[in-house]
Amino acid sequence: MEFRQAYYDEPLIKDIRSDSTFSISEDVDENLLSQDLKRKDLNLPEVSEVDVVRHYTRLSQMNYTVDVGIYPLGSCTMKYNPKYADRIASYEEFRNVHPFQPESTVQGTLQVMYELQEFLKKISDMDAVTLQPMAGADGEFTGILIIKKYFEDRHEDRTEIIIPDSAHGTNPASATMGGFDVVEIPSNSDGMVDLSALKAAVSKKTAAFMITNPNTLGIFEQHIVEIAKIIHDAGALLYYDGANLNAIFGITSPGIMGFDIVHFNLHKSFATPHGGGGPGAGPVAVKAFLSDFLPVPVVGYDGRRYFLDYGRKKSIGKVSSFYGSFSVLLRAWSYVLKNGDEGLKNATIRAVLNSNYLKKKVEEYYEVPYYPLKKHEFVLSTENTGRRALDIGKYLLDYGIHSPTVYFPLIVKEAMMIEPTETVSKADLDKYADVLISALKVPEEDLKSRPRNTAVSRIDEVKAARDLKVRW
Amino acid sequence: MDELLSMLNFMGMKELEDLFSDVPGSVRKKSIGIGSGLDEHQVVERALELGRRNSTGMLNFLGNGIYDRIIPEAVNYILSKPEFLDSYTPYQPEISQGMLQSLFEYQSLISDLMAMDVTNASMYDGYSALGEAARMAYRINGKKKILIPDSTYDSKLSVLKNYVWGLNMEIIRYKMGNDGMIDLDDLSSKIDDETSAVIVENPNGYGILDKNVFAVKDIKKDAALIAYVDPISLGAVKPPGEYGADIAVAEGQQLGIPMNFGGPLLGIMSFKMDHIRRSPGRIIGESVDSNGRRAYVMTLQTREQHIRRAKATSNICSNQALLTLAASAYLSILGSSGLKKVALLTIKHSRMLKEKLSAAGIKPYFNTESFSDVMFRLNREVMEGLASRGILGGLKLTSLIKDTSLRDATFFTVTEKTDAEKIEKLAKALEVI
């Protein structure tokens, strides 16, 4: 398939002048406000509605979407998002609800939230859930604050959080935001946690160990039970980064593996649109002994009515303005409802099948380091090919395939991190493999001149940082 | 099934279970336990059924952070385009120029609205943006005291506390005067060499357009001035850049985003150019492509979590990109003229509300100019009574600030939608409950 993206020399919205067509019939006196409160001038563009719509329509045509082609961006989980969920989120009955309405007038909304809490408990085998965090990293931060408060409550001075070198960058960033020191430990030759390094790092100062399983190499940490024991024996907590949770639905769960806290990335695992970067939703689930520390409110049910429950004595308080990204929660709720036990498990199986199949197709050409069996994603290295991961990624764009995540995780040189997801067909995987392999056959000069079929060609990122033009 | 089998064969596997041979038996799970899935139409019907358990279409006098404002249908239309709705973070700028240019435009539009140098794209919501602003102030001056008004709501304070907990920053409250505005003497007496930031709110927690905010730059010494504002008010009211703010933050829900029970929201954060490398979140910059054409990319990424990890300026990864688009489309459709009108209509309606409720014996708490949220002296609970009459409103200040001396303060909120007829209905309803 030929891929061509539209290009418009689209002016900035401020340079489109066609007089605003927005109107409200009610009159108001221009001099209503006293002089000392008034602003001097305001220079928003004045554009007619049709020109605004055309502007953004043209811009939209210069933007890739999961509805156009595959998006195998490792660790980002860009699966196809079913359309019924968007439809449901558009209902006025949900959109038009104010957060301070009396509970009696929002029973439907509260029920959706309560049911989602229950779903998440079952999926994770944890005991209590907050839906409040607004993204995965916000969930991590919430988890970190819960850990902080828990040890404060126990009068234990634990200042360190251990994180593997393969971890998502948000893990160390969230731990530091919470005031902890980060202790990084290396992975072993199989790409898993090095148990002796872990034992050496654990001490009375350890508050928690933060990992994702499968990890960012797409490898399942097979010694997870032993890891949990090491951490718990030291009096510390085990934190599950749920970014890769969609690789284990129905197979195992954080709760069974011995984790104490987990965050979910609803926008990944539960198929809600990513919006060019968000909004997301990052609910956090904990074991019973931590449930008192969750942010307030959580949604309760007394058998008759749903209510906002503020009754948590040791709560960390709040991490966001209200109760979470409701329209994202609503989409996730509908996704779980549609899939059920079997659907979720089948999605996991297919995601893992797709990942291993694609790996097998390219492993003759690209080195795929570490333990051979992968989960929903795998990391290859382009180092053996003499080509740069970045260049190969740009080549893929010309074929209507989004580049993998490149240069992450940091422990693999010239890394390409590929996550096909369960919504990619065998035909698409075959084509993807063909294009990946053909990238090795074109002359290097050609590769450096990619992409060509996209709206613009290779962009000078250094200039952007050096000249720093960040507004009109 | 043929497809699955052929894929398994290719890998030399016998059954799908072989894909999970690395998961130890001791941690295996039999079934999730949420039951069977539903058909698509069943899911849709169930959602509609639950939706109908909400009472919508009520006359809305609720606010205090989330507002029922006019959203031009074109905003919803633009947001629903899959190229925006269902794309990811623009890590590959060559195929993401649409989102990148619109984010660049957002940065520009909001900077103009705030009269600040730069805006990032984007923060989760107003409260967390305030928390990030306090952390940013610490990165700017290394000091640990934050001053914040007595009129700040508990939930906003709680989010702020959580954001600065890891830095061991100290939060100190300053007083509001009898007119509901900042007590400048009290504030001045609390500012010292250790003060990292002074937080001001305009309109403040009592809903008042607070003129004393404009005088804080003269007494703040070396502290950073953080202004928390209502973006709609800036259609008419003096913006943070005009009164010396170092960082300006806001909740952007009002800019074209439905109420949605309070989420997702849009955190707005603007600042002076000097501080750009200390700012959290994502920033889009202009550059050129290899053919010399104008193009946009994410820039200054070396501040961010995926590169700097433990030393990053924030942990933000997924954020509110789509909602910045709502704000941009909203501001573009309204223009300066439309936004000014919306702001002035809001003020006009808050005056009408004060007159009509005064006539019904319910007096405004302060004589100062209010914006959307208007505080009245009302010593009874009216929320449920009004709800049973199809009206939402009557939020007690004590439900927002537990520890306040203003026990009888009750809010009714107006927007540009709340015209004389609606206010009349509220006044009538209040007379009988």
Side-chain angles (χ1 to χ4, degrees):
Chain A
M1 183 190 74
E2 281 279 308
F3 177 75
R4 284 281 182 282
Q5 194 175 36
Y7 170 74
Y8 301 96
D9 186 13
E10 182 62 23
L12 293 165
I13 190 81
K14 79 168 168 67
D15 295 323
I16 304 172
R17 294 277 162 172
S18 51
D19 289 343
S20 176
T21 48
F22 177 80
S23 74
I24 305 177
S25 57
E26 187 179 347
D27 285 335
V28 63
D29 177 6
E30 283 272 319
N31 296 312
L32 184 76
L33 193 61
S34 68
Q35 205 56 41
D36 51 354
L37 279 169
K38 251 187 204 167
R39 76 178 291 156
K40 276 191 224 132
D41 56 358
L42 178 61
N43 285 314
L44 299 177
E46 296 283 343
V47 189
S48 68
E49 181 179 309
V50 59
D51 280 337
V52 173
V53 168
R54 284 178 184 153
H55 173 68
Y56 285 109
T57 301
R58 286 190 294 260
L59 287 184
S60 76
Q61 291 175 4
M62 291 197 281
N63 218 55
Y64 192 79
T65 162
V66 78
D67 283 0
V68 164
I70 66 169
Y71 230 122
L73 202 53
S75 239
C76 296
T77 314
M78 284 295 286
K79 52 173 93 169
Y80 169 74
N81 297 309
K83 303 306 176 195
Y84 60 82
D86 295 335
R87 181 67 201 277
I88 289 168
S90 77
Y91 291 152
E92 291 299 316
E93 288 86 347
F94 289 116
R95 282 160 64 99
N96 241 342
V97 172
H98 193 281
F100 290 138
Q101 278 187 222
E103 286 165 359
S104 61
T105 67
V106 290
Q107 285 295 299
T109 286
L110 292 173
Q111 187 172 343
V112 166
M113 294 172 76
Y114 181 82
E115 288 183 7
L116 182 61
Q117 288 174 186
E118 294 300 303
F119 286 153
L120 295 177
K121 282 191 216 167
K122 291 239 165 72
I123 288 166
S124 62
D125 290 299
M126 305 297 281
D127 302 316
V129 176
T130 171
L131 303 174
Q132 197 176 120
M134 291 167 287
D138 202 29
E140 287 176 18
F141 181 51
T142 305
I144 292 291
L145 296 176
I146 289 169
I147 292 166
K148 197 175 169 75
K149 186 100 182 182
Y150 170 74
F151 286 116
E152 198 181 89
D153 185 56
R154 291 170 65 88
H155 306 291
E156 287 184 55
D157 187 26
R158 291 177 179 258
T159 54
E160 292 177 354
I161 296 212
I162 304 174
I163 300 176
D165 58 1
S166 64
H168 295 119
T170 49
N171 291 181
S174 300
T176 311
M177 269 178 81
F180 289 98
D181 298 324
V182 171
V183 177
E184 192 176 280
I185 57 162
S187 305
N188 67 19
S189 58
D190 277 337
M192 299 181 211
V193 171
D194 185 329
L195 292 183
S196 55
L198 178 63
K199 281 177 193 155
V202 169
S203 74
K204 282 204 158 21
K205 283 198 253 170
T206 309
F209 182 41
M210 237 178 150
I211 54 168
T212 179
N213 193 18
N215 64 27
T216 60
L217 295 161
I219 296 169
F220 192 84
E221 298 281 358
Q222 294 173 33
H223 302 292
I224 188 61
V225 175
E226 204 175 338
I227 290 169
K229 189 171 182 324
I230 293 168
I231 296 304
H232 290 149
D233 284 352
L237 301 175
L238 193 58
Y239 182 97
Y240 187 88
D241 172 344
N244 301 333
L245 189 66
N246 58 315
I248 59 166
F249 280 154
I251 306 289
T252 179
S253 72
I256 293 178
M257 289 188 274
F259 285 87
D260 303 298
I261 308 177
V262 47
H263 83 259
F264 305 85
N265 301 70
L266 295 186
H267 49 288
K268 299 183 185 186
S269 306
F270 297 83
T272 81
H274 285 56
V284 169
V286 294
K287 287 281 174 64
F289 73 98
L290 292 171
S291 108
D292 246 9
F293 298 93
L294 287 179
V296 282
V298 295
V299 179
Y301 179 55
D302 63 9
R304 198 171 50 86
R305 56 175 198 107
Y306 298 90
F307 59 96
L308 293 168
D309 182 0
Y310 284 87
R312 281 177 154 63
K313 285 197 196 101
K314 295 172 181 173
S315 168
I316 60 165
K318 289 185 69 69
V319 292
S320 69
S321 303
F322 295 97
Y323 324 116
S325 293
F326 178 73
S327 73
V328 180
L329 304 176
L330 178 60
R331 285 179 169 95
W333 168 86
S334 69
Y335 178 81
V336 178
L337 209 59
K338 166 92 167 52
N339 278 283
D341 281 1
E342 284 305 305
L344 289 179
K345 186 173 179 177
N346 287 339
T348 290
I349 292 170
R350 184 63 198 251
V352 174
L353 176 69
N354 281 356
S355 160
N356 282 281
Y357 177 78
L358 184 62
K359 185 208 77 167
K360 179 83 178 170
K361 290 213 101 177
V362 301
E363 68 188 1
E364 267 180 62
Y365 305 89
Y366 294 92
E367 191 197 344
V368 183
Y370 300 115
Y371 190 80
L373 184 57
K374 309 296 179 184
K375 292 275 87 53
H376 64 308
E377 64 191 1
F378 65 96
V379 179
L380 55 76
S381 169
T382 70
E383 202 184 15
N384 67 309
T385 70
R387 306 281 163 108
R388 297 195 62 214
L390 178 83
D391 293 335
I392 291 174
K394 298 298 182 196
Y395 177 82
L396 293 172
L397 302 182
D398 274 343
Y399 293 85
I401 296 170
H402 196 281
S403 167
T405 299
V406 290
Y407 303 111
F408 184 81
L410 307 175
I411 54 175
V412 176
K413 283 183 183 158
E414 292 296 326
M416 288 182 92
M417 187 182 196
I418 300 176
E419 181 180 7
T421 81
E422 73 274 14
T423 59
V424 177
S425 67
K426 176 173 177 292
D428 276 342
L429 291 169
D430 289 339
K431 180 194 150 188
Y432 187 16
D434 289 346
V435 179
L436 268 177
I437 294 161
S438 73
L440 302 176
K441 292 171 186 155
V442 297
E444 183 139 14
E445 276 314 295
D446 181 281
L447 215 52
K448 297 248 176 250
S449 72
R450 303 282 182 160
R452 295 172 198 151
N453 299 341
T454 47
V456 298
S457 57
R458 196 85 70 101
I459 298 171
D460 187 345
E461 300 195 16
V462 176
K463 177 182 161 59
R466 191 187 55 221
D467 297 348
L468 212 56
K469 186 168 185 328
V470 293
R471 63 171 293 185
W472 57 50
Chain B
M1 207 56 205
D2 286 349
E3 185 165 294
L4 300 190
L5 280 178
S6 78
M7 290 166 81
L8 280 176
N9 284 339
F10 177 76
M11 291 186 290
M13 287 183 182
K14 289 206 181 69
E15 49 189 22
L16 292 168
E17 194 50 42
D18 295 344
L19 293 164
F20 298 93
S21 58
D22 51 354
V23 179
S26 64
V27 298
R28 283 304 190 101
K29 176 168 177 145
K30 280 206 183 76
S31 90
I32 297 173
I34 54 175
S36 334
L38 302 181
D39 293 337
E40 178 175 314
H41 78 272
Q42 292 172 321
V43 175
V44 171
E45 278 171 10
R46 175 136 174 82
L48 261 179
E49 182 198 326
L50 292 194
R52 289 193 197 106
R53 284 182 209 171
N54 291 332
S55 315
T56 42
M58 295 169 88
L59 196 48
N60 197 334
F61 289 90
L62 286 175
N64 300 87
I66 301 293
Y67 299 87
D68 181 18
R69 292 196 176 274
I70 294 171
I71 302 177
E73 194 50 43
V75 175
N76 296 327
Y77 171 79
I78 289 165
L79 246 57
S80 67
K81 287 186 169 299
E83 293 84 351
F84 293 127
L85 179 68
D86 215 348
S87 55
Y88 198 61
T89 306
Y91 288 128
Q92 296 295 326
E94 294 86 359
I95 51 167
S96 309
Q97 285 301 297
M99 184 52 79
L100 286 161
Q101 181 170 335
S102 89
L103 287 167
F104 181 84
E105 292 179 346
Y106 165 83
Q107 291 174 181
S108 307
L109 287 161
I110 298 291
S111 299
D112 279 352
L113 185 63
M114 292 281 204
M116 299 291 290
D117 299 335
V118 208
T119 299
N120 70 18
S122 61
M123 322 296 291
Y124 303 133
D125 64 6
Y127 291 8
S128 64
L130 180 65
E132 293 280 11
R135 294 183 67 89
M136 185 168 160
Y138 175 77
R139 286 194 290 277
I140 291 169
N141 57 35
K143 298 174 181 178
K144 292 210 168 184
K145 274 190 205 168
I146 306 165
L147 295 176
I148 191 163
D150 264 343
S151 55
T152 298
Y153 302 152
D154 293 347
S155 50
K156 191 189 271 182
L157 195 66
S158 178
V159 175
L160 175 67
K161 272 184 183 162
N162 273 331
Y163 269 80
V164 301
W165 191 11
L167 295 172
N168 291 316
M169 293 181 90
E170 186 188 359
I171 299 174
I172 300 162
R173 312 294 293 262
Y174 64 85
K175 290 197 175 95
M176 305 304 276
N178 292 332
D179 52 3
M181 300 203 271
I182 293 175
D183 180 337
L184 287 169
D185 292 334
D186 184 66
L187 173 58
S188 188
S189 73
K190 286 171 177 161
I191 296 171
D192 61 22
D193 291 343
E194 289 309 305
T195 308
S196 175
V198 178
I199 294 170
V200 297
E201 295 177 311
N202 201 26
N204 65 28
Y206 304 147
I208 292 170
L209 289 172
D210 186 343
K211 293 173 191 172
N212 288 348
V213 159
F214 308 147
V216 174
K217 69 170 187 298
D218 300 326
I219 57 169
K220 74 179 181 66
K221 297 182 182 163
D222 292 334
L225 177 59
I226 299 175
Y228 191 101
V229 297
D230 175 325
I232 296 288
S233 73
L234 302 184
V237 175
K238 204 177 274 192
E242 276 187 36
Y243 51 90
D246 295 278
I247 307 172
V249 285
E251 171 49 61
Q253 175 269 330
Q254 307 188 66
L255 306 175
I257 301 165
M259 296 183 287
N260 263 323
F261 202 47
L265 304 173
L266 169 63
I268 294 175
M269 183 192 243
S270 308
F271 35 85
K272 289 182 175 163
M273 191 62 185
D274 289 350
H275 307 320
I276 191 166
R277 285 183 167 76
R278 297 189 181 89
S279 88
R282 215 157 266 158
I283 291 169
I284 311 305
E286 190 182 295
S287 185
V288 291
D289 76 354
S290 59
N291 294 315
R293 289 194 291 206
R294 182 180 49 119
Y296 300 93
V297 288
M298 297 197 288
T299 194
L300 300 184
Q301 290 186 66
T302 46
R303 304 166 301 118
E304 293 189 60
Q305 40 73 28
H306 58 283
I307 294 179
R308 287 273 279 175
R309 297 174 77 81
K311 295 192 180 89
T313 53
S314 78
N315 68 342
I316 291 173
C317 190
S318 283
N319 61 44
Q320 312 305 90
L322 186 73
L323 306 169
T324 66
L325 182 62
S328 297
Y330 175 89
L331 290 173
S332 303
I333 289 169
L334 268 73
S336 294
S337 56
L339 193 70
K340 185 176 184 184
K341 183 155 189 191
V342 166
L344 291 176
L345 274 176
T346 301
I347 295 169
K348 178 184 167 185
H349 292 163
S350 55
R351 288 186 190 172
M352 272 164 51
L353 182 73
K354 284 179 182 174
E355 283 165 23
K356 291 254 156 74
L357 294 199
S358 291
I362 302 167
K363 301 276 182 232
Y365 223 105
F366 299 109
N367 288 320
T368 27
E369 189 87 72
S370 296
F371 194 64
S372 277
D373 306 318
V374 192
M375 209 159 81
F376 292 90
R377 283 184 197 276
L378 184 60
N379 234 339
R380 52 201 164 104
E381 298 286 341
V382 295
M383 194 98 150
E384 292 287 346
L386 285 172
S388 67
R389 286 170 172 74
I391 299 174
L392 296 170
L395 191 70
K396 303 284 284 183
L397 179 67
T398 48
S399 70
L400 301 166
I401 308 174
K402 225 181 235 167
D403 187 21
T404 177
S405 54
L406 315 178
R407 310 301 298 179
D408 56 347
T410 301
F411 284 103
F412 293 97
T413 295
V414 295
T415 69
E416 75 279 12
K417 286 166 90 171
T418 328
D419 58 19
E421 197 187 323
K422 290 173 179 165
I423 292 170
E424 195 68 48
K425 279 185 188 157
L426 172 69
K428 284 221 170 85
L430 280 170
E431 278 171 22
V432 295
I433 56 168

